[in-house]
Amino acid sequence: MMFDFDVIAKNLPYLLSGVKFTLALACLVIVIGTFLGIVLGLSKLSKNRILRYPANFIVELTRDTPIIMQMFFIFFGLPALGIRLKTFPSAALAMSFFAAGNTAEIVRGAISSLPAGQFDAAKSLGMNYFQMMIYVIIPQALRRMMPPMMGLFTTLIKDTSLAAIIGAFELTRAGQEVIERTFRSLEIYLVVAAIYFIICYPLSYYTRKVEKARVTGY
Amino acid sequence: MVMIEVKDIHKSFGKVKALNGVSCTIQKGEVVVIIGPSGSGKSTFLRCLNHLEKIDHGTIIIDRIPLTDSKTHIHKVREEIGMVFQQFNLFPHLSVLRNITLAQIKVRKRSSEEAEQIARNLLDKVGIPEKADNYPFQLSGGQQQRVAIARALAMQPKIMLFDEPTSALDPEMIGEVLDVMKNLAREGMTMVVVSHEMGFAKEVADRVIFMDEGKIVEEGTPDQLFNNPREERTRVFLSKVLK
């Protein structure tokens, strides 16, 4: 069997229409996950049990179950409770939880790795909790969060391909549809993989650069 | 006028009793130096005064405001108490100037022009006006500690607490920090200093407190305490540090 370049050229526009949904899904998940993750991470660090215990529970749940199970649960499980979501929102919701759980751990780790003296200094200047977090702690924590967050974003972009399993339309699903029509698995999967690589490689590359910069900075 | 009144405070960390019934009164304008072996509770005592450590029981009254009263707004009290730490604890992501203006603007609600003017005056006072736009990591330890003092002073506190301010410094930088502190003492600031600098204590302290095992063992003027200690434990400690 010859490698068929034609089938790639012909189907590339269709695959690229899948890329749009892959990127949309990834962006949605990154935005919601980051926001929710920061809230969860700060709650985990809270002295208040009413905040800390539920946050711990949610984070452990999202981190210690497979992301695909979370997707199955939302898409196939929730309808039994009368909650019916379409494929794309189901995937987005499941992945947002996964992203939030992992972000929460990154936030918690970054903040608790800061020297205790930074908290002491902020408090001794009369700052309240929010002033301390916004002006002193979070700016420093963000710097420590950057490399692991970028790593998480790369993982999230790749894992949007799991949405294909519940039938959400994105790059992988688009590829499967083309293969169903053309029976050209080799060419199409190769192109699909290459597209993921093109999206993710710059992120990985940039992550390494950020990690190196940290060694020289504070 | 009484500035700080401490009555029978206790503080434990797990099983370790850090403070075991400490009482003392400090007058406005008084300079008190606390000495004692490591683990004697002197740093813990200092950190209780601005509620960085919560006491288990006892009372602390700062400028007539009881710290332990649930109605007391602890942030408000802390605005009046400057603190300088052994490890400087400057904010590494902010310039020297911003380190000094941040709390003035956010906590004291000063305009940025006013805050900057105050910051520059204080940098002049601590002898490093040219470092305003540098970042902490570009400064020597002695310079960082002087910025930390300026940062605390910018809030115009009524009390300054110093927690071993020279212990992390190279020997040649200790003098420059002590000089700033001596000037401050002469200007009438109420100061509580935990320090191993006996020379500083002799020169500027109104009173020296010797602590051991979470208690005040002995207190008196520097002359009394260094030359005629009453307690055996004080004598043993001084013989070790003054040789």
Side-chain angles (χ1 to χ4, degrees), chain B residues 29-76:
Chain B
E30 209 181 351
V31 177
V32 175
V33 174
I34 305 175
I35 58 171
S38 60
S40 58
K42 50 194 195 308
S43 282
T44 306
F45 173 73
L46 203 68
R47 292 168 59 83
C48 286
L49 293 181
N50 65 349
H51 210 261
L52 284 184
E53 303 292 350
K54 196 166 170 257
I55 55 174
D56 298 334
H57 73 89
T59 50
I60 298 175
I61 301 168
I62 304 285
D63 199 20
R64 283 168 304 206
I65 303 165
L67 273 199
T68 32
D69 192 332
S70 59
K71 279 185 292 241
T72 299
H73 228 296
I74 188 63
H75 313 299
K76 286 281 157 207

Side-chain angles (χ1 to χ4, degrees), chain A residues 115-129 131 134-140 143 216-218, chain B residues 47 50 52 75 78-79 81-83 85 89-94 98 102-103 106-107 109 137 151-152 155:
Chain A
Q118 292 293 311
F119 295 83
D120 288 345
K123 285 184 206 159
S124 76
L125 289 164
M127 290 188 202
N128 62 34
Y129 176 81
Q131 291 167 333
I134 291 167
Y135 302 116
V136 177
I137 301 304
I138 290 176
Q140 294 183 65
R143 230 185 126 111
T216 52
Y218 53 80
Chain B
R47 292 168 59 83
N50 65 349
L52 284 184
H75 313 299
R78 282 183 183 145
E79 288 177 37
I81 309 176
M83 189 164 193
F85 303 88
N89 298 345
L90 292 180
F91 305 134
H93 59 300
L94 301 177
R98 187 90 177 115
L102 179 66
K106 303 302 175 190
V107 179
K109 311 288 181 204
F137 72 89
R151 178 177 68 175
M155 299 296 284

Side-chain angles (χ1 to χ4, degrees), chain A residues 179-200:
Chain A
I179 291 164
E180 279 161 23
R181 281 201 308 270
T182 63
F183 303 104
R184 287 289 182 174
S185 311
L186 176 73
E187 290 86 345
I188 299 303
Y189 277 140
L190 206 63
V191 174
V192 167
I195 295 173
Y196 279 115
F197 184 84
I198 290 165
I199 300 170
C200 290

Side-chain angles (χ1 to χ4, degrees), chain A residues 35 127 211:
Chain A
F35 177 76
M127 290 188 202
E211 273 168 357

